[in-house]
Each structure stands twice: as C-alpha cells, then as structure tokens.
Amino acid sequence: MAYDVEKPDEQWRAELNPAEYAVLREAATEPAFTGEYTDTKTEGVYSCRACGADLFTSETKFASHCGWPSFFDPKDTDAVELIEDRSHGMVRTEVRCARCGSHLGHVFEGEGYPTPTDQRYCINSVALRLAPAEG
Ligand SMILES: [Zn+2]
C-alpha cells in the first residue's frame, strides 16, 4: 500500500521523539490518562503529528472517560484508514493516517456512547497535534 507521504525509517526516527515514534510508527499505545489531549475541550483541528494531515475536529471529540482522546467521527472519512488488527489476541480495527500510514489508535463500535455514530475513535494524544481555533 502506497501512501502520499512515505519516508525512510531513519527519517521518521529523526523527526519524531521516541514516544511519538513508538506510537506512530510501531503502533504502541500511550498509557491511559497520560496523554496531553485526553480531557482537552479546546476548539480546533487535530492533525497527524507525523505528516500534518487534518484528522479530527474538536466538534466530534467527546468525554469517553476511557483515558484517551475519543472522537465519534473523523474530520473526513478519507482522512483515516481502517485496518483489521488481530494483535494481542483480539480483533480490533486499527486507525491509521491515510496520508502517511502512521498508527493513530483504534476504533470501537456499539459501546452505547450517546454520540451520533456510536463509534469511538480511541486515539493516542501523542499521535495528534491540536491547532486551536482562532479567536
Ligand atoms: Zn499522517
């Protein structure tokens, strides 16, 4: 699968700090309740920390109390790529940035959150960068 943004591994290592690299490029998960955006309510757009693509907006962020920033819908459907993930003895749906293929988190469905989609995009803070809205 080819992405619009592809870089050699050494370049990702040079551009990302170790925590960012572990999540974005090695699909690690940051510890729950530690990420800088877990409870953030600031209005703005969340972009991919690896390539800068716009991924989610504050309008679809909700308080899931799960320990990670949670969104009920991506900014654009095409902004993220969903991939079946059978690691760790579970079947989950991995969420990746569609532009650079970096790991963002997982999406869960049918958990009963009172959101329009009944989906929870459970995204690592370290995979995102928030650009606060003007004014
Ligand atoms: Zn990206």
Side-chain angles (χ1 to χ4, degrees):
M1 157 110 219
Y3 295 101
D4 287 350
V5 174
E6 292 200 348
K7 298 177 186 182
D9 194 52
E10 316 82 76
Q11 199 179 336
W12 286 124
R13 278 187 196 275
E15 292 179 3
L16 303 170
N17 72 35
E20 293 165 353
Y21 182 87
V23 169
L24 288 158
R25 305 307 306 172
E26 297 184 313
T29 299
E30 69 192 9
F33 301 102
T34 63
E36 65 177 300
Y37 298 133
T38 304
D39 296 315
T40 302
K41 294 190 173 69
T42 308
E43 286 181 22
V45 175
Y46 290 87
S47 59
C48 174
R49 202 174 283 200
C51 77
D54 290 351
L55 300 175
F56 296 95
T57 71
S58 55
E59 286 163 36
T60 63
K61 193 172 189 291
F62 69 102
S64 66
H65 309 290
C66 73
W68 293 275
S70 299
F71 303 86
F72 59 79
D73 210 18
K75 182 172 184 293
D76 299 301
T77 323
D78 290 349
V80 297
E81 176 185 27
L82 304 181
I83 293 174
E84 186 179 84
D85 173 11
R86 291 183 171 269
S87 65
H88 304 290
M90 295 175 272
V91 181
R92 294 178 296 172
T93 303
E94 181 188 358
V95 183
R96 288 188 193 174
C97 171
R99 185 152 164 241
C100 72
S102 291
H103 175 82
L104 305 170
H106 289 87
V107 58
F108 302 91
E109 222 167 350
E111 298 175 311
Y113 286 105
T115 62
T117 62
D118 204 8
Q119 289 181 320
R120 173 170 62 94
Y121 285 80
C122 182
I123 305 298
N124 293 281
S125 291
V126 83
L128 300 172
R129 180 158 283 130
L130 171 63
E134 302 285 323

